[in-house]
Amino acid sequence: MKQIVFAFLLIFSQIQLFGQSGYNLWTDYKKLDANVIATEYNFINSILVSNTKDDEVLNNTKTILTQNLSSLLGKSIKIEKQKKTGQITLTINKNALNIGNEGFTLTSTNNALNIEAKTSTGLLYGAFYLINKIHRSEKIKNIKVSESPKIQNRILNHWDNIDRTVERGYAGFSIFNWHELPEYEDPRYEDYAMANASIGINGTVLTNVNANAIVLRADYLDKTAALANIFRKYGIKVYLTARFSAPIELGGLKTADPLDPQVRLWWKNKIDEIYQKIPDFGGFLVKANSEGQPGPQDYKRNHADGANMLAEPLKKYGGIVMWRAFVYSHEVNEDRFKQAYKEFVPLDGQFADNVLVQVKNGPIDFQPREPFHPMFGAMPKTPLMLELQITKEYLGQGTHLVGLAKMYEEILQSDTHVKGKGTTVAKIIDGTAHDYKITGIAGVANIGTAFNSTGNLFGQADWYAFGKLAWNPYLDARNIFKEWTAATFPNRNKKLSDVSNWLLEHSHEACVSYMTPLGLHHIMAEGHHFGPGPWVDSLFRADWTSVYYHKANKDSIGFDSKITGTNALSQFHPDVQKLYGNLNSCPDEYLLWFHRVPWTHPLKSGRNLWEELVFRYDQGVTKAREMKTKWDAVESLVEKETFRSVRDHLIIQQKEAQWWRDACLAYFQSRSQLAFPVGTIAPPHEVQYYKKLSYPYSPGIKPKW
Amino acid sequence: MKQIVFAFLLIFSQIQLFGQSGYNLWTDYKKLDANVIATEYNFINSILVSNTKDDEVLNNTKTILTQNLSSLLGKSIKIEKQKKTGQITLTINKNALNIGNEGFTLTSTNNALNIEAKTSTGLLYGAFYLINKIHRSEKIKNIKVSESPKIQNRILNHWDNIDRTVERGYAGFSIFNWHELPEYEDPRYEDYAMANASIGINGTVLTNVNANAIVLRADYLDKTAALANIFRKYGIKVYLTARFSAPIELGGLKTADPLDPQVRLWWKNKIDEIYQKIPDFGGFLVKANSEGQPGPQDYKRNHADGANMLAEPLKKYGGIVMWRAFVYSHEVNEDRFKQAYKEFVPLDGQFADNVLVQVKNGPIDFQPREPFHPMFGAMPKTPLMLELQITKEYLGQGTHLVGLAKMYEEILQSDTHVKGKGTTVAKIIDGTAHDYKITGIAGVANIGTAFNSTGNLFGQADWYAFGKLAWNPYLDARNIFKEWTAATFPNRNKKLSDVSNWLLEHSHEACVSYMTPLGLHHIMAEGHHFGPGPWVDSLFRADWTSVYYHKANKDSIGFDSKITGTNALSQFHPDVQKLYGNLNSCPDEYLLWFHRVPWTHPLKSGRNLWEELVFRYDQGVTKAREMKTKWDAVESLVEKETFRSVRDHLIIQQKEAQWWRDACLAYFQSRSQLAFPVGTIAPPHEVQYYKKLSYPYSPGIKPKW
């Protein structure tokens, strides 16, 4: 017996020897501590499926429960046909009260658990809820939980190209190997589906918003169908991006005019073809008339014309159109902040009822911090989806540890005031404010071929947080961090947990400080967006440059969005205008988004603007250093390679935080000409030095226009 | 105790549940069968290091031995300081007889093993020899083995770009994450080094031959140094590709003329800088004046001028230049077969003594089958390296199972006749024929980010075979297959082993048959080279087309390389000319490389050429089908996901074999206008159908000129 144990020890240590870790994400359901099992979970013996017809999702739910509970509890948990004590009973009850179609109720006594749902998908979510609770060693006796997702469509957006490059991907390349599909199904597809299902994600857009028509070609639809077949049993629908000009490129038509009958017929036929292959196909995500993508405006039609053309043939199948509001065309000479609102708000009420308009969290483009997008609250008749970035294009890309849940929370809790105080963005997108019949949220995925899927281990926490907030946008970020930490570091050492949670909680503010404090935005290097570039001043469009946004000169810095400037502020509710528009009431965090401020203007801290800018950049660097110090202290508490990989990334983060601080302050000092405040340190180089640094091969393929 | 066993069983089954497999390659040193241990290896108890000073390689060798033997034997094998029975003794003896610097002697009795070597690297190879023998359950009692590599420089060539795309890579993307180096060291780097060391590979060129000067920039050299630090303890040197125009692009000079003093100084300084960071840097691989790459001919200098310029400053550090003979420039209007020979052979004797000229196996470009390159044997004063392709650009890319060792063996055993019958290519490149002072062999790597490194599991066998043949180019391919199979499928089931070996042994001939039988070559689709394209007829260069090579018309097919044609045949030794130049003695395998043959010409089989062509294509498809059938029969003998992934790839191979056969025969029939022989089946479509198929996103980034 000893020898057998030793053999398994060796097998296990062998796997450790090859130092990769993190593949299993937060679903690494290894056996729990024996004491915890004894106190809390020993009563669980088997699973009973109560008079319910089998389907694909239910079958899979049974497998998920038996395999993972057996693993967690260190004993064989099987499906049984007879009622016994210690059972987990699964029941589908179409008339269950107080839950939605994907919801579930979990009730437990001291020696039995019951999961009830209206659908097998509800049972799947209930099963994961239970497994995850046990995985985190939480109490499950005598509880009653009712959970339903507050948002219907909880969708990952992959900006993945057919050639497996990822437009803003920093974790390697696309996990979707189109070339070898449909024959070869990488096991990763199922692992990915399971991870998503475990946090409630129920849809995935497989392809880049800068779309390629080829994905609609018959052979590619077979490939998508193969993925759909894998994802279906995890309650996940697949979606594709529809290139607006596909009828020309693929169909050989002369136009893609959405009112042209031939064009409409082409799409109808294409959609019929898709549903023949994928009966539960989710629908399309469309980027049109933005950054060079084709769209209805090419034919003097509007966004509603374009979206409705696709929505009509999708409707009979239950498919949806997600039409992106991230628009700024080469032609329209409007301030970028304002353009989306101006194009979309007048169309409110004109979209078909299976169209959602997908709006980025802020008015510019996934900056480290943005005020909420003024479209939220401005389209009561059009379901607005929130689009968040999980990949960190402007937040340290693949290497920085930035707990994005704090940023998501900030956006979701932002108050639009449109139906009185407390009309948060969360209330807009979950449909309660305007009684939307259809709701959705999208996260631009940070998933790639990296062994642990996200490169930086803590990037997994951002994927996790997106899923949790998509299910319930009112959750507290700190609780999400705690959950993820408990699921990721299963030894539940308090010091390690505290450090993990601290890192997640403080890192977003740190990142904002060392990159874009005080409402600075869009000051990154051009193209790849890697590193600082506040000096960028001559690109094809003025609003691609940095100087357009900060306008720093000898006297002042900041963008006047008030009536004295672009008047973008007028797109918000009057109460918000009052808050942000007043230099005194505007939070420092958003200051330079709305105001042009003299360098010497005194802020709430008592420091003037220049001093505060230096102070914040220094604070960011200090925090980045502190992050590494904290992690260094847990070396003995975490698996060697996990420790090392997180530490190495924190070293990069610290180095780059310093670079951001030095480069930005060298540049802004060259504008302000003010001396560095006493006690602060001038950057070691002149701004010219930083301007010359070049990193042409930074990851993340740039879109080509 | 039972519970503990169960826990480990579960941990292990959990790892199986997440279905990835193959990460550990042929070094998956899990515990052997208890009976095998009892009979053969039980006497091994510990390791003794005999009066030898520690160094990095020796320390690592000790770790490798203790960890892997402990794992294989299921007991703790430790380093001890006292002599005891059952020990493996490691001894460095600078005066050891009959072995080279990297060689070792392994002697054993019934209760002791002794590994002796001149260097710690020799001990490292001895250790792996022993571990691998045990891993394959081979007898090790009372043996005496002396092993030294027959080739000094055994080098992988990565055609990996800085942005992680791989020029002809089909296993995902580059494992080298330049952006995150030097701080973040992916554990894969060390796993890769260990796999290479286990089969004797001692060098790696990290970057693409279509080179980028940036890799010589100071910050990139730090990244290379980080990799070198990991690889060093595995006896592996790093090399870089040197872009000939780097002095212009990086140094700001106006010229890269190899005789310009400033240019020479720039390279000298750059090389000094490299060796300060990487004291054991291996040297440069250079592609010059070929396919648009810059080179000495841009300045009216020759290849020796270019190579020697780099060789001079490398020499004092022991560095080498590997100068590629794969040249055909846009400007030179010479038949591609002949150009390399014509440019290089006249320079024999003019290269510095730390220069090797690296020659592809055949005269064109890694075709499924080529005659050996006529340069082998033609440069007695210049060490010639053999360049083999492990990645399968023209051999089914990432998906087809093709045991390349058979092809390598065919090349190595080809007889150049230059010093009499039996002067094989092996004898040229191991230096025995011409007494080369320096020897080398290169393999273009098939390694990528795929979980199992090669995509198709059997691609690992090609990497393995390259290492084994680089160590000893006289090895029998079938024995290499057996070794790999034993190391890869450790349950040693006879039926499974037989099938694995059968697949490896028969697949190359199958592939040649369904792609390019009878000496057809260069008839693939353009650009990505995925799939058939015998109709390709109008590209920038005539010798990029397919019709240039097969010249099929109504009467005949084939390329006349005799004196009546290009006279490329004259570049071979007269004995070879006699063999290949005579239509009757020329092996069918090489027929259309050298002869233009009427469709109705009778071959040895009794069939005429047209009939034989159809026969061979059909044979290829039949074999591909048989491969899948054989694999299907081992389903119960192999881990589920391993079975499935191999099967799925065999399905692709079978489908594509049929496609190659149908497309090529449809095309050639449109030339010959002959009826399909009785009993054979005409392709289901006209040639137009196959011409229209388009796969623009096939993997493998195409070089840009």
Side-chain angles (χ1 to χ4, degrees):
Chain A
M1 187 62 83
K2 256 193 184 168
Q3 271 196 321
I4 300 175
V5 175
F6 192 71
F8 279 101
L9 271 166
L10 280 169
I11 286 163
F12 191 61
S13 72
Q14 185 63 22
I15 290 157
Q16 297 285 329
L17 174 70
F18 290 89
Q20 298 287 7
S21 62
Y23 182 85
N24 292 348
L25 303 158
W26 52 85
T27 60
D28 194 18
Y29 300 124
K30 291 211 194 80
K31 197 191 172 208
L32 297 176
D33 184 85
N35 289 329
V36 177
I37 296 173
T39 346
E40 291 295 328
Y41 312 120
N42 229 4
F43 73 97
I44 301 174
N45 286 319
S46 64
I47 291 153
L48 178 75
V49 184
S50 160
N51 63 341
T52 290
K53 223 180 67 187
D54 269 10
D55 66 25
E56 219 177 335
V57 175
L58 182 61
N59 265 331
N60 191 34
T61 302
K62 291 192 280 188
T63 307
I64 287 166
L65 269 173
T66 51
Q67 285 192 334
N68 297 318
L69 288 181
S70 297
S71 178
L72 283 164
L73 304 181
K75 64 182 181 185
S76 175
I77 307 287
K78 289 189 182 145
I79 307 288
E80 285 181 350
K81 306 228 158 179
Q82 308 296 321
K83 195 152 183 64
K84 291 186 188 168
T85 57
Q87 263 174 343
I88 300 167
T89 309
L90 306 181
T91 312
I92 291 184
N93 173 4
K94 287 185 179 152
N95 306 312
L97 295 174
N98 303 321
I99 53 172
N101 269 332
E102 294 177 301
F104 61 88
T105 302
L106 170 71
T107 48
S108 74
T109 63
N110 269 327
N111 55 24
L113 284 148
N114 188 49
I115 305 176
E116 191 183 67
K118 287 181 164 170
T119 63
S120 52
T121 308
L123 287 183
L124 173 76
Y125 291 133
F128 271 120
Y129 182 91
L130 176 65
I131 292 167
N132 289 331
K133 232 174 151 55
I134 293 174
H135 186 211
R136 298 192 302 267
S137 300
E138 291 173 13
K139 290 186 192 310
I140 57 162
K141 285 179 186 167
N142 301 307
I143 58 172
K144 181 172 167 117
V145 181
S146 263
E147 278 274 342
S148 296
K150 294 188 190 297
I151 297 175
Q152 292 160 21
N153 298 289
R154 307 174 297 280
I155 298 181
L156 285 182
N157 287 186
H158 286 269
W159 287 358
D160 294 14
N161 300 310
I162 302 295
D163 65 3
R164 301 187 71 181
T165 57
V166 181
E167 182 164 316
R168 300 296 181 180
Y170 311 103
F173 293 80
S174 176
I175 62 169
F176 304 121
N177 184 347
W178 290 97
H179 184 68
E180 298 192 12
L181 282 167
E183 288 87 2
Y184 176 61
E185 296 175 354
D186 190 322
R188 192 155 215 161
Y189 303 147
E190 183 151 358
D191 300 333
Y192 159 89
M194 172 162 149
N196 280 323
S198 79
I199 51 174
I201 290 170
N202 69 353
T204 180
V205 185
L206 303 171
T207 47
N208 191 356
V209 288
N210 291 315
N212 191 320
I214 207 171
V215 82
L216 301 174
R217 207 172 73 172
D219 56 337
Y220 275 87
L221 293 178
D222 291 336
K223 297 166 189 278
T224 297
L227 292 173
N229 289 341
I230 298 168
F231 298 166
R232 184 173 297 115
K233 57 181 180 286
Y234 290 91
I236 294 168
K237 285 185 182 180
V238 300
Y239 299 77
L240 293 172
T241 46
R243 186 161 162 90
F244 203 78
S245 51
I248 299 170
E249 292 151 2
L250 217 58
L253 301 187
K254 291 220 168 71
T255 175
D257 181 347
L259 301 190
D260 181 282
Q262 276 198 292
V263 171
R264 297 177 79 88
L265 181 65
W266 187 87
W267 281 110
K268 186 199 164 297
N269 288 340
K270 182 52 70 180
I271 287 164
D272 288 342
E273 181 189 355
I274 293 174
Y275 279 91
Q276 275 196 323
K277 296 183 177 191
I278 312 162
D280 59 347
F281 179 68
F284 291 128
L285 171 64
V286 186
K287 173 177 179 175
N289 291 120
S290 175
E291 300 183 324
Q293 291 294 308
Q297 293 173 351
D298 302 349
Y299 307 95
K300 304 200 190 311
R301 315 297 181 189
N302 65 31
H303 291 293
D305 295 327
N308 295 347
M309 170 192 66
L310 297 171
E312 188 182 297
L314 282 168
K315 190 170 166 75
K316 72 166 164 175
Y317 299 109
I320 59 172
V321 173
M322 297 167 286
W323 193 271
R324 287 177 92 235
F326 179 70
V327 290
Y328 64 100
S329 63
H330 289 60
E331 295 76 23
V332 181
N333 198 9
E334 176 56 271
D335 178 54
R336 189 162 150 190
F337 190 131
K338 289 154 69 186
Q339 189 175 337
Y341 184 105
K342 285 187 87 165
E343 287 190 21
F344 279 87
V345 172
L347 299 176
D348 193 26
Q350 295 182 33
F351 289 94
D353 60 7
N354 57 333
V355 175
L356 298 105
V357 172
Q358 183 168 315
V359 186
K360 285 189 180 182
N361 57 282
I364 297 298
D365 188 9
F366 294 139
Q367 294 304 297
R369 171 169 276 140
E370 298 202 27
F372 69 92
H373 201 297
M375 280 177 70
F376 290 113
M379 295 186 75
K381 297 179 201 149
T382 310
L384 299 183
M385 280 179 85
L386 170 61
E387 178 179 310
L388 296 166
Q389 208 181 38
I390 311 173
T391 189
K392 299 199 297 270
E393 179 178 357
Y394 305 97
L395 283 147
Q397 302 194 344
T399 50
H400 295 210
L401 190 169
V402 183
L404 293 185
K406 288 289 280 186
M407 185 180 77
Y408 300 159
E409 184 187 48
E410 191 171 295
I411 291 298
L412 289 162
Q413 294 311 317
S414 291
D415 194 344
T416 69
H417 286 267
V418 294
K419 297 197 90 178
K421 194 164 154 51
T423 315
T424 58
V425 171
K427 286 191 179 163
I428 304 296
I429 63 158
D430 78 353
T432 52
H434 296 127
D435 200 23
Y436 293 155
K437 294 291 169 283
I438 177 172
T439 56
I441 185 168
V444 182
N446 64 342
I447 299 156
T449 50
F451 195 91
N452 66 9
S453 290
T454 56
N456 190 322
L457 175 73
F458 279 77
Q460 296 180 356
D462 302 326
W463 177 6
Y464 185 88
F466 170 76
K468 300 303 282 192
L469 287 166
W471 182 279
N472 181 354
Y474 301 94
L475 291 180
D476 187 283
R478 277 170 305 177
N479 286 336
I480 297 172
F481 293 147
K482 280 182 191 161
E483 272 191 20
W484 180 82
T485 290
T488 300
F489 301 111
N491 66 2
R492 277 165 290 277
N493 176 284
K494 188 173 178 316
K495 183 173 174 187
L496 175 58
S497 301
D498 287 350
V499 167
S500 172
N501 291 328
W502 189 93
L503 292 171
L504 287 164
E505 198 177 325
H506 293 86
S507 46
H508 175 246
E509 200 63 49
C511 181
V512 171
S513 297
Y514 63 67
M515 284 186 180
T516 53
L518 295 172
L520 282 172
H521 55 285
H522 206 292
I523 58 168
M524 62 286 168
E526 62 178 286
H528 50 60
H529 299 167
F530 173 65
W535 46 76
V536 173
D537 61 0
S538 57
L539 295 174
F540 180 70
R541 289 171 61 101
D543 59 5
W544 283 352
T545 69
S546 300
V547 297
Y548 176 85
Y549 295 96
H550 65 67
K551 301 190 192 311
N553 64 15
K554 188 154 177 9
D555 305 313
S556 309
I557 183 173
F559 194 98
D560 185 359
S561 310
K562 304 190 302 301
I563 195 161
T564 48
T566 59
N567 207 18
L569 189 62
S570 67
Q571 296 182 338
F572 290 96
H573 186 274
D575 290 352
V576 178
Q577 292 185 35
K578 217 177 286 174
L579 177 71
Y580 292 164
N582 184 315
L583 188 56
N584 294 319
S585 64
C586 182
D588 285 355
E589 283 62 34
Y590 300 124
L591 193 63
L592 303 181
W593 275 94
F594 297 105
H595 299 277
R596 185 151 176 73
V597 188
W599 290 109
T600 51
H601 179 79
L603 298 186
K604 299 175 190 75
S605 64
R607 290 179 283 270
N608 70 28
L609 183 67
W610 166 243
E611 292 162 345
E612 185 70 20
L613 193 72
V614 179
F615 176 79
R616 298 265 179 140
Y617 270 114
D618 278 335
Q619 213 176 24
V621 173
T622 302
K623 269 281 188 271
R625 198 176 302 131
E626 194 178 352
M627 287 167 67
K628 179 168 173 301
T629 309
K630 287 208 181 268
W631 184 254
D632 281 340
V634 302
E635 179 160 9
S636 63
L637 307 173
V638 64
E639 195 265 315
K640 188 181 153 199
E641 280 302 328
T642 304
F643 172 77
R644 209 177 56 76
S645 84
V646 172
R647 185 204 55 197
D648 291 352
H649 285 120
L650 287 169
I651 290 171
I652 295 173
Q653 183 165 10
Q654 191 185 316
K655 183 180 80 169
E656 292 182 3
Q658 188 72 52
W659 171 35
W660 267 95
R661 181 266 182 202
D662 289 342
C664 289
L665 288 182
Y667 171 77
F668 288 124
Q669 199 276 336
S670 77
R671 306 278 95 192
S672 77
Q673 306 275 320
L674 293 171
F676 276 86
V678 177
T680 65
I681 296 166
H685 303 282
E686 296 292 314
V687 65
Q688 284 310 318
Y689 167 87
Y690 300 103
K691 282 172 87 160
K692 272 193 185 162
L693 297 175
S694 115
Y695 301 94
Y697 300 100
S698 309
I701 305 298
K702 305 87 199 159
K704 291 173 201 79
W705 288 298
Chain B
M1 186 61 83
K2 256 193 184 167
Q3 272 196 320
I4 300 176
V5 175
F6 192 72
F8 278 102
L9 271 166
L10 280 169
I11 287 164
F12 191 61
S13 72
Q14 186 63 23
I15 290 156
Q16 296 285 329
L17 175 70
F18 291 90
Q20 299 286 6
S21 61
Y23 183 86
N24 292 347
L25 303 157
W26 51 84
T27 59
D28 194 18
Y29 300 126
K30 291 211 193 79
K31 198 192 171 206
L32 298 175
D33 183 84
N35 290 329
V36 176
I37 295 173
T39 345
E40 289 295 329
Y41 313 120
N42 228 3
F43 73 97
I44 300 175
N45 286 320
S46 64
I47 291 153
L48 178 76
V49 184
S50 159
N51 65 339
T52 289
K53 224 178 67 187
D54 269 10
D55 66 25
E56 220 177 332
V57 176
L58 181 61
N59 264 331
N60 192 34
T61 302
K62 292 193 280 188
T63 306
I64 288 166
L65 269 174
T66 52
Q67 284 192 335
N68 296 319
L69 289 181
S70 297
S71 178
L72 284 164
L73 304 181
K75 65 182 181 185
S76 174
I77 306 287
K78 289 188 182 146
I79 307 288
E80 285 181 351
K81 306 230 159 178
Q82 309 295 321
K83 196 151 183 64
K84 290 186 189 168
T85 56
Q87 263 174 342
I88 300 168
T89 308
L90 306 182
T91 312
I92 291 184
N93 173 5
K94 287 186 179 152
N95 306 313
L97 295 175
N98 303 323
I99 53 171
N101 269 332
E102 294 176 302
F104 62 88
T105 301
L106 171 70
T107 48
S108 74
T109 62
N110 268 327
N111 56 22
L113 283 149
N114 188 49
I115 305 176
E116 191 183 67
K118 286 182 165 171
T119 64
S120 51
T121 309
L123 287 183
L124 173 75
Y125 290 133
F128 270 121
Y129 183 90
L130 176 65
I131 292 167
N132 289 331
K133 234 174 149 54
I134 293 174
H135 186 212
R136 299 192 302 266
S137 300
E138 291 173 13
K139 290 186 193 307
I140 57 164
K141 285 179 186 167
N142 300 309
I143 59 170
K144 182 173 168 117
V145 180
S146 263
E147 276 275 343
S148 297
K150 295 188 188 299
I151 296 175
Q152 292 160 20
N153 298 289
R154 307 174 298 279
I155 298 182
L156 285 181
N157 287 187
H158 286 268
W159 287 358
D160 294 14
N161 299 311
I162 302 295
D163 64 2
R164 301 187 70 180
T165 57
V166 181
E167 183 165 316
R168 300 296 181 181
Y170 311 103
F173 293 80
S174 177
I175 62 169
F176 303 121
N177 183 346
W178 290 97
H179 184 68
E180 298 192 12
L181 282 166
E183 287 87 3
Y184 176 59
E185 296 175 355
D186 190 323
R188 192 155 215 160
Y189 303 148
E190 182 151 359
D191 300 334
Y192 159 89
M194 173 163 149
N196 281 322
S198 80
I199 51 174
I201 290 169
N202 68 354
T204 179
V205 185
L206 303 171
T207 47
N208 191 356
V209 288
N210 290 316
N212 189 321
I214 207 171
V215 82
L216 301 174
R217 207 172 74 172
D219 56 336
Y220 275 87
L221 293 177
D222 291 336
K223 296 166 190 279
T224 298
L227 291 173
N229 289 341
I230 298 168
F231 297 165
R232 185 174 298 116
K233 57 180 180 286
Y234 290 91
I236 294 168
K237 285 185 182 181
V238 300
Y239 300 76
L240 293 172
T241 46
R243 186 162 162 89
F244 202 79
S245 51
I248 299 170
E249 292 151 3
L250 217 57
L253 301 187
K254 292 218 169 71
T255 175
D257 181 347
L259 301 191
D260 180 282
Q262 276 198 293
V263 171
R264 297 178 80 87
L265 182 64
W266 187 87
W267 280 110
K268 185 199 166 297
N269 290 340
K270 182 52 71 180
I271 287 165
D272 288 343
E273 181 189 355
I274 293 173
Y275 278 92
Q276 275 197 323
K277 296 183 176 189
I278 311 161
D280 58 347
F281 179 69
F284 292 128
L285 171 64
V286 186
K287 173 177 179 175
N289 291 120
S290 174
E291 299 182 324
Q293 291 292 309
Q297 292 173 351
D298 302 350
Y299 307 96
K300 304 199 189 312
R301 316 298 182 187
N302 65 31
H303 291 294
D305 295 328
N308 294 347
M309 170 191 66
L310 296 171
E312 188 182 296
L314 282 168
K315 190 170 167 75
K316 73 166 164 175
Y317 298 108
I320 60 173
V321 173
M322 297 167 286
W323 193 270
R324 287 177 92 236
F326 178 70
V327 291
Y328 63 100
S329 63
H330 289 60
E331 295 77 23
V332 181
N333 199 9
E334 177 55 273
D335 178 56
R336 190 161 149 192
F337 191 130
K338 289 153 70 185
Q339 190 175 337
Y341 184 107
K342 284 186 88 165
E343 287 190 21
F344 278 88
V345 172
L347 299 176
D348 192 26
Q350 295 182 33
F351 288 96
D353 60 6
N354 57 332
V355 175
L356 297 106
V357 171
Q358 182 168 315
V359 186
K360 284 189 181 182
N361 57 282
I364 298 297
D365 187 10
F366 293 139
Q367 294 304 297
R369 171 169 277 140
E370 298 203 28
F372 70 93
H373 201 296
M375 281 177 68
F376 291 113
M379 294 185 75
K381 297 179 199 149
T382 308
L384 299 182
M385 281 178 84
L386 171 61
E387 178 178 311
L388 296 167
Q389 209 180 40
I390 311 172
T391 190
K392 300 200 297 270
E393 179 178 358
Y394 304 97
L395 283 147
Q397 303 196 343
T399 49
H400 296 209
L401 190 169
V402 183
L404 293 186
K406 287 289 281 185
M407 185 180 77
Y408 301 158
E409 183 187 51
E410 191 171 294
I411 291 299
L412 288 163
Q413 294 309 318
S414 291
D415 195 343
T416 69
H417 285 268
V418 292
K419 298 196 89 179
K421 194 165 155 50
T423 315
T424 58
V425 172
K427 286 191 179 165
I428 304 295
I429 63 158
D430 78 353
T432 51
H434 297 127
D435 200 22
Y436 292 155
K437 295 291 169 284
I438 178 172
T439 55
I441 186 168
V444 182
N446 64 343
I447 299 156
T449 50
F451 195 91
N452 66 8
S453 290
T454 55
N456 190 322
L457 175 74
F458 280 77
Q460 296 180 357
D462 302 325
W463 178 5
Y464 185 88
F466 169 75
K468 301 302 283 190
L469 287 166
W471 182 279
N472 181 354
Y474 301 94
L475 291 179
D476 187 281
R478 277 170 305 176
N479 286 335
I480 296 172
F481 293 146
K482 281 181 190 161
E483 272 191 20
W484 179 83
T485 290
T488 299
F489 302 110
N491 66 1
R492 277 164 290 277
N493 176 284
K494 188 172 179 315
K495 182 172 174 187
L496 175 58
S497 301
D498 287 350
V499 167
S500 172
N501 292 328
W502 189 93
L503 291 172
L504 287 163
E505 198 177 325
H506 293 87
S507 46
H508 175 247
E509 200 63 49
C511 181
V512 171
S513 297
Y514 63 67
M515 284 186 181
T516 53
L518 295 174
L520 282 172
H521 53 286
H522 205 291
I523 58 168
M524 61 287 168
E526 62 177 285
H528 50 61
H529 299 166
F530 172 66
W535 46 76
V536 173
D537 61 0
S538 57
L539 296 174
F540 180 70
R541 290 170 60 101
D543 60 5
W544 283 352
T545 70
S546 299
V547 297
Y548 177 85
Y549 294 96
H550 64 67
K551 301 191 192 311
N553 63 15
K554 188 153 178 8
D555 305 313
S556 310
I557 182 172
F559 194 97
D560 185 359
S561 309
K562 304 190 301 301
I563 195 160
T564 47
T566 59
N567 206 16
L569 189 62
S570 68
Q571 295 182 339
F572 290 96
H573 186 274
D575 290 353
V576 178
Q577 290 185 37
K578 219 177 286 173
L579 178 71
Y580 291 164
N582 184 315
L583 189 54
N584 294 318
S585 64
C586 182
D588 283 355
E589 283 63 33
Y590 300 124
L591 191 64
L592 304 180
W593 276 94
F594 297 105
H595 300 277
R596 189 154 173 70
V597 188
W599 290 110
T600 51
H601 179 78
L603 298 186
K604 298 174 191 75
S605 64
R607 290 179 281 269
N608 70 27
L609 183 68
W610 166 244
E611 292 162 347
E612 185 70 19
L613 193 72
V614 179
F615 176 79
R616 298 266 178 141
Y617 271 114
D618 278 335
Q619 213 177 23
V621 173
T622 303
K623 269 281 188 270
R625 197 176 303 132
E626 194 178 352
M627 288 168 67
K628 179 169 173 299
T629 309
K630 287 210 180 267
W631 184 253
D632 281 340
V634 301
E635 178 160 10
S636 62
L637 307 173
V638 65
E639 195 266 314
K640 188 182 154 199
E641 280 302 327
T642 305
F643 172 77
R644 210 178 55 78
S645 85
V646 172
R647 184 204 56 197
D648 290 353
H649 286 119
L650 287 169
I651 290 171
I652 296 173
Q653 182 165 10
Q654 191 184 318
K655 183 180 80 169
E656 292 183 3
Q658 188 72 53
W659 171 34
W660 267 94
R661 180 266 184 205
D662 288 342
C664 290
L665 288 182
Y667 171 77
F668 288 123
Q669 199 275 336
S670 77
R671 306 278 95 190
S672 76
Q673 307 275 320
L674 294 171
F676 276 86
V678 176
T680 65
I681 297 166
H685 304 281
E686 295 292 311
V687 66
Q688 285 309 318
Y689 168 86
Y690 300 103
K691 282 172 88 160
K692 272 193 184 161
L693 296 176
S694 115
Y695 302 94
Y697 300 100
S698 308
I701 306 297
K702 305 87 200 160
K704 290 174 201 77
W705 288 296

